[in-house]
Amino acid sequence: MPRRRTSSSSSSSTAPSAAPAAPRNRTPQPVRVRRRSFGDFVKAFLAFVVLLALVVGVPLALAVAIGWPLPGGAPGLDWLQREITVQTFLHILTVIVWLAWAQFTACVLVEVKAALSGVGVPGRVPGSGPSQLLARQLVAALLLVGATAASLTPGLSQLGQSLEGNQKPAVAAAQQTPGLFAQQQEQAASTANALAEQAGQAGQDAARADGGGSAAHGDTKYYRIQPPEGRHHDSLWEVADRHLGDGRRYKEIFELNKDRVQPDGSKLSEASLIRPGWIMEMPGDARGGELVEMPDEAPNVSEQVQQQISDYARTGGDHAQGGGGAQGGGDAHVSLPEQRPAPTPATPVTPATPAPGPATGGQHATPAAEESGRSFGLPEALLAAPLLAAGLLGALGRRRRQALWHSALGAVGGRRGMEPPTPTGDAQDAQDALLVGADPDGVRLLDRSLRGLATSLAAESRALPVVYAAWMGGNGDLHLQLAQPAGKPPTPWQVGQDQTFWMLARADAERYEDAETAAPYPGLVSLGTMDDSRLLLNLEAVPGLVSLSGAEADRAAVFASVAAELATNGWSDRMTITLVGFGDDLTPLAPNRIRHLDGFEDLFETMSAETRQRRGALGAAGHDSVLTGRTGPAQHTRWAPHLVLLAAQPSDEDALRLAELAADAGRLGIGYLVGTEGTDLPGAAWEMEITGDGKLLAPLLGLELEAQLLPAAQQRAVVELFTDADPERGPGGPANTPPFLVDISEQGRPAVYARLVGSYEIIGLDAPDGDRSAQLHEALALLLLHREGVHPRVLASALWPRGVTEDVRDALLERLRAWLGTDPDGTPRLGTDATGRLTLAKSVVSDLDVLRSLYYEATQGRGVDSRQVRGRLLTDALVLVRGPLLADRPEGRYRWLTHEIIDAQLPLLVADTGLALSEFHLERGRAEKAIEALNAALRTAPADERLWHELLRATHATEDADRLRALAADLIGRSGARGLPPRTEALLDELLPTWRDGVAAAG
């Protein structure tokens, strides 16, 4: 496939080791394989010779030397009685060679067709194996002289393909969406201008140093963006690399042409977004093989193009409207004798100069804190990963609730009524970072949007399109990047910047409700951010392997982030994640999803079997890919993705086996992410590199992201959180001790008493200012529920989920301190501990603190040795229960409670209290008192099966059969269509054998 002619054949320049930091640097490092060298031509020639010998030479040699080996007519029975001679063996071997030649030729044709068409994954020739791999390598080597490496990678060019065929890199296409990056443009303008001015001054200095050149003579040069040839697209990076000697100087070209009217009437607004036929003014030191001084000296430039360039040159001073013209072919560079004023020098932007970082879309971090560079002691990696943090936080909450129920049901001996362990050290910092960084609304919208799309397509009897990536904008809009055009999207989805993008506005996404369908794209995982947008790559849709190169520690941080998000994300149902070469065990994050394998042999054995099984299942079901059947009857069973993360470097032999294994993985729902020290991994469809400064580069995809990482220290801290919350973990330390015990004697009367269990009331403080009252009450409630201390950023993110500046947060804290006041000894009731976390004095108490302390004292303190004391303490505890937690909280506030497990703790604590008091009364033969205690507990914990069982036993103890039958009927009515739980049925069989007759009569 021929590549367009370039004006320079020099090799790619090597980028300096210390590149200036820039806020809008969207273009990757120069890619080595995009430049053709003498070695490329040698390889191409050798590949041509080998292909010619195998495809043409083999049949000619067979025809000349052996002839046609098969008989000319139908063989008779005497043919079976003939003597087997050497000639017979030669004919059999010849037939085998002919079959092998036919298979190899078919492989060559399939690979050539895939490379030239650029659509989809190359088809698999049955039984080809290494033969097709050899054909692929030979075809790639042959086409290397006429195509870019991106064009030889199946599916790469589909990222951003337009209806007209103008394919662009992934980020360029994503940036074409109006407004997608608008929030960052104004913020980055001053920094970009400084870069351009610095570059312009450097160009002037260079011109003065060499004493001549086109710049010294006042020449202004222009470049015309070329139309795509094959599957290659022009970019400012390549233009700068060829004609300025350094691709990173694309910023200078961008600044010279930004917002100037192009021949088609549009304007350049994004550095990665250019169109064929546009004119680019070049810096004065641009060089090139076809660079000329005047338009009429360029023989391949038409008069129309010359006029377009002349019109465009007049827009240089004031960006006035220029003449339009049709797009057409043209030469590469034209130089006009018109000089733009040299930019004035500016302060250089160095790598140490802080640049605006990417936003995280729905983040809870305080912008002022980030701009000042302070992290407040929390891990920045988790703060900058809102979807990962939300997944981890949700999974951790589920794990802790599960542990509470195990404890309450006696599954773990000696831990009844267990309080979750309070994290300390790095684990506490990690938990706070999760609370600050999590974006549960973003996860919810992403999940509902994807499931809603699947439901709409199913209603129209349309298959799910193959999605390579998703972009989540800072404004909440979602952009799906399709492998190829899939027609008009269902409402409310819209076509994006071209037919390969489907877009859903946040306002439309918020109208979606939960849909009863399988998660369509569970393999989406965050890789990082660019400006205000977050990229999620669909690992299971990749047509082959995804390779990740870079230093081992940096690769491990990317792998850990990918594994953790896949294991806990909220937009998938079922998934298998196989990890190979991971130093730390991540299984505690999701024991049902994650499995570790020892090495490559175990992996090949496992995945070979699963690949065959999935291929056979697809064939039996009549589906061409897992997407076809994902929303069908088998949606939750057979088509769950299997993602393999190989952090270990494969050997050359293992790499070839992996390439063969992954050749058909895209349609089977299997994805492979492989770590490698180099960049040449056989079968790698997409190649990425993680740099030491946290940049994730994918040159062939046109991506340069701020990588999402989970470094080793934070990884261990997160795993510790999950390990401590494991319900199967053996009891250790004080099992039932609450985090804060209150002096329940008369001498321990608090100065400030807050009633949280039920309606919210505060005793001991004057009512605050009306406009600030709700906010101050909410802040105090958060502190009362976390007596161990609350990080200032956690408090800020709870009260202002969409972000807040540091001065506003500090003002709130001052008002809260003033409102709470001081103790008689002058100690502030709102203090700060050694770690900088906000803590309340012991004189500030809530009824929840008292409830916990009373239950603890009754079951593990003084009540253990005194029945009378135990009964009094339990009765006092149950009197405190006036309803659910913060029953009258205003709508729109206290959203942070969704991250808490107090909604599970409080009903269990109340149920435990009611059960203990019921047991106390039944021991005394006071069944009515026991029933009264159980009914009081049921008002707060109506779903606790233990309370109903004890209520049945206490009612049975009254020996009132009618009352027991009425209670049984009430239970049956509450159970609905689900019916009674098995253990409840068994208890009724014991206490009221005739209860089923009543059900049959009612039925």
Side-chain angles (χ1 to χ4, degrees):
M1 186 171 62
R3 179 182 174 181
R4 74 187 190 286
R5 294 172 56 192
T6 62
S7 58
S8 176
S9 59
S10 61
S11 60
S12 299
S13 60
T14 303
S17 58
R24 302 185 65 82
N25 183 12
R26 302 192 182 113
T27 314
Q29 299 286 339
V31 185
R32 174 177 55 83
V33 293
R34 285 185 181 263
R35 306 290 293 175
R36 294 174 294 174
S37 64
F38 177 75
D40 295 332
F41 286 97
V42 173
K43 292 179 182 178
F45 176 74
L46 294 177
F48 174 76
V49 172
V50 173
L51 282 173
L52 188 65
L54 293 177
V55 176
V56 180
V58 169
L60 289 178
L62 290 174
V64 172
I66 306 297
W68 187 248
L70 299 179
L77 294 178
D78 61 335
W79 181 77
L80 299 175
Q81 301 175 356
R82 293 180 183 176
E83 180 181 1
I84 298 177
T85 63
V86 175
Q87 193 65 25
T88 304
F89 278 109
L90 289 177
H91 283 185
I92 294 174
L93 291 175
T94 303
V95 171
I96 295 174
V97 174
W98 273 107
L99 292 176
W101 170 85
Q103 183 190 59
F104 178 77
T105 303
C107 292
V108 172
L109 295 176
V110 167
E111 294 297 328
V112 170
K113 177 181 180 297
L116 294 178
S117 65
V119 178
V121 181
R124 287 180 55 83
V125 178
S128 59
S131 180
Q132 186 165 4
L133 183 60
L134 174 62
R136 183 177 305 161
Q137 294 173 340
L138 291 174
V139 171
L142 178 61
L143 297 181
L144 185 62
V145 297
T148 65
S151 69
L152 304 179
T153 306
L156 269 179
S157 62
Q158 302 301 328
L159 292 175
Q161 179 181 3
S162 68
L163 184 63
E164 295 82 4
N166 292 336
Q167 303 167 357
K168 307 172 182 66
V171 66
Q175 291 167 344
Q176 193 170 349
T177 303
L180 186 60
F181 298 93
Q183 297 178 1
Q184 292 295 321
Q185 288 180 358
E186 183 176 354
Q187 184 180 7
S190 60
T191 307
N193 288 331
L195 283 172
E197 292 172 359
Q198 176 193 5
Q201 181 65 23
Q204 288 183 340
D205 295 341
R208 285 193 296 267
D210 61 22
S214 59
H217 287 89
D219 298 330
T220 302
K221 303 174 179 63
Y222 292 88
Y223 176 82
R224 193 170 192 276
I225 303 301
Q226 298 299 292
E229 294 189 12
R231 298 197 300 184
H232 179 84
H233 303 270
D234 218 344
S235 69
L236 293 187
W237 179 283
E238 286 190 322
V239 174
D241 185 37
R242 288 195 304 270
H243 302 289
L244 298 177
D246 187 350
R248 288 174 299 178
R249 293 185 62 186
Y250 78 94
K251 304 181 189 70
E252 302 174 41
I253 306 176
F254 173 69
E255 287 301 321
L256 287 173
N257 299 274
K258 182 175 65 174
D259 296 330
R260 295 173 63 179
V261 178
Q262 293 291 334
D264 61 358
S266 57
K267 296 181 180 180
L268 174 67
S269 59
E270 301 291 341
S272 299
L273 218 175
I274 59 176
R275 299 178 184 175
W278 280 9
I279 309 298
M280 293 291 117
E281 182 177 341
M282 301 291 290
D285 60 338
R287 298 291 186 273
E290 299 178 358
L291 190 65
V292 296
E293 295 300 325
M294 292 293 290
D296 54 6
E297 296 178 18
N300 296 325
V301 175
S302 64
E303 294 183 0
Q304 183 184 40
V305 173
Q306 294 179 26
Q307 184 60 43
Q308 290 178 4
I309 296 175
S310 299
D311 293 340
Y312 185 77
R314 289 194 289 270
T315 68
D318 55 5
H319 289 186
Q321 293 274 340
Q327 295 183 12
D331 204 19
H333 288 79
V334 178
S335 175
L336 295 177
E338 180 180 346
Q339 184 177 6
R340 287 175 55 85
T344 58
T347 304
V349 180
T350 64
T353 304
T360 55
Q363 64 185 0
H364 300 168
T366 55
E370 292 179 350
E371 290 172 8
S372 63
R374 289 187 286 171
S375 65
F376 293 94
L378 299 182
E380 290 292 347
L382 293 174
L383 293 175
L387 303 185
L388 170 61
L392 289 171
L393 200 60
L396 183 60
R398 292 190 294 271
R399 182 69 56 84
R400 286 175 172 170
R401 286 177 171 82
Q402 185 183 11
L404 284 173
W405 280 105
H406 274 250
S407 170
L409 297 175
V412 181
R415 291 206 294 163
R416 181 171 178 175
M418 178 200 69
E419 295 288 342
T422 301
T424 58
D426 290 343
Q428 187 178 19
D429 289 341
Q431 177 174 276
D432 287 343
L434 294 179
L435 290 168
V436 175
D439 181 17
D441 287 342
V443 172
R444 176 179 56 85
L445 288 177
L446 176 62
D447 181 46
R448 289 184 175 181
S449 300
L450 296 178
R451 293 180 194 265
L453 174 63
T455 302
S456 300
L457 289 173
E460 299 176 6
S461 299
R462 296 171 60 186
L464 287 167
V466 176
V467 170
Y468 277 160
W471 289 90
M472 294 187 66
N475 57 359
D477 294 348
L478 176 63
H479 301 256
L480 296 184
Q481 198 159 358
L482 313 184
Q484 55 190 9
K488 182 181 179 181
T491 306
W493 290 78
Q494 306 172 22
V495 175
Q497 56 268 29
D498 58 45
Q499 295 296 319
T500 60
F501 273 85
W502 285 1
M503 189 272 288
L504 180 67
R506 182 185 180 95
D508 295 327
E510 290 175 342
R511 289 194 286 269
Y512 268 123
E513 298 181 355
D514 293 333
E516 294 295 330
T517 187
Y521 304 109
L524 286 169
V525 63
S526 303
L527 292 183
T529 57
M530 177 176 291
D531 292 328
D532 200 27
S533 290
R534 179 169 301 276
L535 172 66
L536 292 88
L537 185 67
N538 191 6
L539 283 179
E540 67 165 333
V542 178
L545 303 174
V546 179
S547 69
L548 177 66
S549 61
E552 183 177 0
D554 298 326
R555 295 202 316 264
V558 175
F559 273 105
S561 171
V562 170
E565 185 169 298
L566 289 173
T568 60
N569 72 56
W571 54 87
S572 64
D573 300 315
R574 298 176 62 253
M575 184 185 301
T576 300
I577 306 167
T578 297
L579 308 180
V580 180
F582 277 66
D584 295 326
D585 188 4
L586 294 175
T587 305
L589 302 184
N592 295 329
R593 286 192 177 189
I594 295 179
R595 64 177 178 182
H596 286 255
L597 295 181
D598 294 334
F600 284 91
E601 288 303 322
D602 293 341
L603 174 69
F604 291 134
E605 180 180 355
T606 301
M607 297 311 300
S608 296
E610 180 161 351
T611 299
R612 290 193 300 269
Q613 180 183 5
R614 290 198 174 213
R615 190 178 291 126
L618 281 178
H623 300 317
D624 57 350
S625 73
V626 296
L627 284 178
T628 310
R630 180 158 286 166
T631 55
Q635 55 181 279
H636 289 289
T637 55
R638 305 170 73 182
W639 313 122
H642 188 159
L643 303 176
V644 182
L645 309 181
L646 298 99
Q649 167 76 27
S651 64
D652 293 342
E653 181 181 356
D654 290 337
L656 291 175
R657 295 173 67 184
L658 272 176
E660 177 64 22
L661 194 61
D664 197 26
R667 72 183 189 94
L668 302 179
I670 303 175
Y672 294 87
L673 177 61
V674 185
T676 176
E677 296 176 357
T679 58
D680 298 326
L681 183 69
W686 297 342
E687 295 180 349
M688 300 186 297
E689 177 188 359
I690 178 65
T691 65
D693 58 351
K695 301 287 187 182
L696 188 67
L697 309 179
L700 298 181
L701 302 179
L703 295 177
E704 181 177 345
L705 306 172
E706 293 288 341
Q708 179 171 295
L709 306 172
L710 186 60
Q714 281 107 50
Q715 178 184 342
R716 288 191 294 268
V718 168
V719 171
E720 181 182 341
L721 289 173
F722 279 80
T723 303
D724 289 343
D726 187 356
E728 303 301 329
R729 179 178 63 92
N736 296 58
T737 304
F740 177 70
L741 287 174
V742 177
D743 183 359
I744 57 177
S745 65
E746 287 295 329
Q747 293 75 21
R749 185 177 299 274
V752 178
Y753 182 66
R755 305 177 71 183
L756 305 179
V757 184
S759 58
Y760 192 0
E761 301 175 14
I762 297 179
I763 302 171
L765 289 177
D766 294 332
D769 176 67
D771 295 336
R772 312 285 186 184
S773 177
Q775 194 174 64
L776 291 174
H777 278 74
E778 185 176 0
L780 180 57
L782 177 62
L783 291 168
L784 286 167
L785 293 178
H786 290 276
R787 301 305 301 238
E788 72 278 7
V790 177
H791 198 285
R793 292 193 72 173
V794 174
L795 180 65
S797 67
L799 298 180
W800 294 280
R802 300 180 66 84
V804 63
T805 57
E806 191 175 358
D807 57 336
V808 174
R809 184 202 64 205
D810 292 343
L812 170 73
L813 294 181
E814 289 304 317
R815 284 193 295 270
L816 186 58
R817 284 192 178 95
W819 179 45
L820 292 176
T822 60
D823 285 334
D825 61 358
T827 304
R829 291 173 181 155
L830 178 61
T832 305
D833 64 9
T835 64
R837 288 174 170 82
L838 303 169
T839 58
L840 291 174
K842 291 184 178 181
S843 59
V844 183
V845 172
S846 72
D847 54 355
L848 183 59
D849 297 326
V850 177
L851 176 61
R852 286 168 168 163
S853 300
L854 288 170
Y855 177 76
Y856 175 79
E857 193 70 23
T859 56
Q860 298 187 46
R862 291 179 297 157
V864 174
D865 300 323
S866 173
R867 288 175 50 84
Q868 184 178 1
V869 172
R870 182 168 71 254
R872 178 173 56 82
L873 292 174
L874 291 173
T875 301
D876 291 344
L878 207 54
V879 169
L880 293 174
V881 180
R882 300 175 297 116
L885 186 75
L886 299 168
D888 58 351
R889 58 181 178 264
E891 185 177 357
R893 290 197 173 273
Y894 298 87
R895 298 177 63 184
W896 46 269
L897 280 172
T898 58
H899 299 313
E900 306 284 342
I901 62 169
I902 186 62
D903 60 333
Q905 285 179 285
L906 180 59
L908 286 176
L909 178 59
V910 173
D912 284 346
T913 304
L915 290 170
L917 186 56
S918 171
E919 181 183 4
F920 169 78
H921 287 307
L922 288 176
E923 289 176 353
R924 295 285 188 90
R926 299 195 292 254
E928 292 295 339
K929 289 289 186 180
I931 293 173
E932 182 181 346
L934 292 168
N935 282 326
L938 279 169
R939 285 192 288 271
T940 300
D944 197 311
E945 188 180 0
R946 301 172 301 158
L947 290 174
W948 289 105
H949 290 175
E950 289 304 311
L951 185 59
L952 287 170
R953 293 188 179 98
T955 305
H956 181 264
T958 64
E959 298 182 355
D960 188 341
D962 292 337
R963 189 174 180 181
L964 184 59
R965 277 193 290 271
L967 179 59
D970 185 28
L971 266 176
I972 294 169
R974 290 173 180 269
S975 63
R978 295 176 299 176
L980 293 174
R983 288 182 294 185
T984 304
E985 288 187 354
L987 181 60
L988 281 173
D989 288 338
E990 174 65 24
L991 302 179
L992 187 65
T994 61
W995 73 275
R996 297 180 188 274
D997 297 336
V999 174

